[in-house]
Amino acid sequence: MPTQILIGVGAGLVSAALFASAALAGAFAGIPFYLAPLPLCLAGLGWGRATVLIAAATGALLLAVVLSAPLGLAFGLTLGLPIVTLIHLLLLARPAAVPNEEGAAALEWYPPGRLVGWAAMMAGFLAGLLALALGPDVETYRQQVGALLSPELIAALDPDGNIFTPETVEKLKVVLAKTLPAAFAVVWLIIVLFNLWVGGFIVESSGRALRPWPDLHALEVPNAFVAVFAVALALSFLPGIVGVLATGFAGAMLFAYVLQGLAVIHTYSLGMTMRPLLLVAVYLGILFLGWVAIVVAII
């Protein structure tokens, strides 16, 4: 237990330092923020639930005491509590109905597809909190989002004023207000799932993994989340704050089904001679062409 405490405190300190660097830095804020969940993931996947809980509590408390209470709360809500919950799910196991090849009792671990579904729900919830923090009603929310496109920023991006005309800026504010929750949810989901994958790979390579590496080709988001996606997508077209909140859930669930579609493509392309070229084309299409991601999600 002392080892778990030391590792948890150390992981919390590193994660809090990365999170604070992202919050206080300027142009390079993205790099430390992308890696901020990794120490928590390593602590949980390599040393267990108690260790990641200590790490999350340490990071939140440190930021609240040293910098500010809102920053500590933000760390706890956006990283600490979600990572602790996801690690708890990842380490859940039950006796399998069928013994393994050696005839011994095997364990059935929590399916990664369900984990992706719950992570998407968390992303939608956090996107909703962000929207409500900007404004409890749709008008206030739009004003706050529009303020992000300040005249100083527009002047820096377009000194001559040829691209960002007043009409263009107003249209851009409308688009930004509508898409911000979905964009936040997708980015958060990418960061968290990527760090869980990297953390799992590291502890698996080091021999510290508390669960076997899952078969990601068999990723299957439960059918119940289809209804969540459908309802969120329908509500996202509503005017008012309800439509804004639903947009975050719709974006997060769409990305979850993009991952599901990629798993299907990886599985059914096994053995194909052109598989590497196909996968490269799919991933580049998702990265540069938005409609490709929708096609993959439909798959």
Side-chain angles (χ1 to χ4, degrees):
M1 189 63 183
T3 302
Q4 290 180 310
I5 294 175
L6 290 175
I7 292 174
V9 171
L13 292 175
V14 175
S15 185
L18 291 171
F19 189 86
S21 299
L24 302 177
F28 300 101
I31 298 175
F33 182 72
Y34 294 154
L35 298 177
L38 185 56
L40 303 180
C41 297
L42 291 172
L45 293 172
W47 284 269
R49 298 180 179 91
T51 305
V52 70
L53 182 60
I54 293 171
T58 300
L61 184 62
L62 177 69
L63 291 172
V65 172
V66 175
L67 294 177
S68 67
L71 192 61
L73 180 62
F75 176 88
L77 286 177
T78 60
L79 290 186
L81 185 58
I83 295 296
V84 169
T85 304
L86 294 175
I87 293 295
H88 170 73
L89 294 176
L90 275 173
L91 298 181
L92 288 177
R94 65 185 180 185
V98 180
N100 58 24
E101 296 178 356
E102 290 77 19
L107 289 177
E108 182 181 353
W109 294 89
Y110 197 79
R114 291 188 180 184
L115 182 86
V116 170
W118 287 118
M121 293 294 290
M122 294 179 189
F125 177 75
L126 291 173
L129 287 182
L130 171 65
L132 292 175
L134 290 173
D137 58 86
V138 68
E139 291 303 324
T140 305
Y141 166 77
R142 288 173 179 170
Q143 290 175 5
Q144 293 296 326
V145 173
L148 298 176
L149 297 175
S150 62
E152 293 78 11
L153 177 61
I154 298 299
L157 295 175
D158 184 23
D160 298 328
N162 297 325
I163 300 176
F164 294 107
T165 63
E167 295 79 9
T168 304
V169 172
E170 289 303 316
K171 292 179 181 179
L172 188 59
K173 288 180 180 180
V174 173
V175 173
L176 182 61
K178 188 63 178 177
T179 59
L180 181 61
F184 173 86
V186 171
V187 170
W188 183 91
L189 199 54
I190 292 173
I191 292 173
V192 168
L193 293 180
F194 174 75
N195 279 275
L196 283 172
W197 181 82
V198 172
F201 179 79
I202 292 174
V203 296
E204 178 75 14
S205 302
S206 64
R208 288 277 337 168
L210 298 180
R211 64 163 287 169
W213 187 262
D215 181 11
L216 297 180
H217 286 174
L219 182 75
E220 184 177 352
V221 180
N223 291 333
F225 289 104
V226 176
V228 176
F229 182 31
V231 172
L233 187 61
L235 293 177
S236 67
F237 290 97
L238 293 178
I241 198 66
V242 174
V244 173
L245 298 179
T247 302
F249 283 95
M253 293 309 303
L254 174 66
F255 184 75
Y257 283 105
V258 169
L259 296 180
Q260 171 80 80
L262 289 174
V264 172
I265 294 173
H266 273 267
T267 299
Y268 283 94
S269 63
L270 289 172
M272 293 176 56
T273 55
M274 301 293 289
R275 184 174 189 262
L277 182 61
L278 171 65
L279 294 179
V280 169
V282 169
Y283 279 97
L284 289 179
I286 291 174
L287 188 61
F288 295 108
L289 302 172
W291 61 267
V292 175
I294 297 176
V295 172
V296 172
I298 292 173
I299 292 175

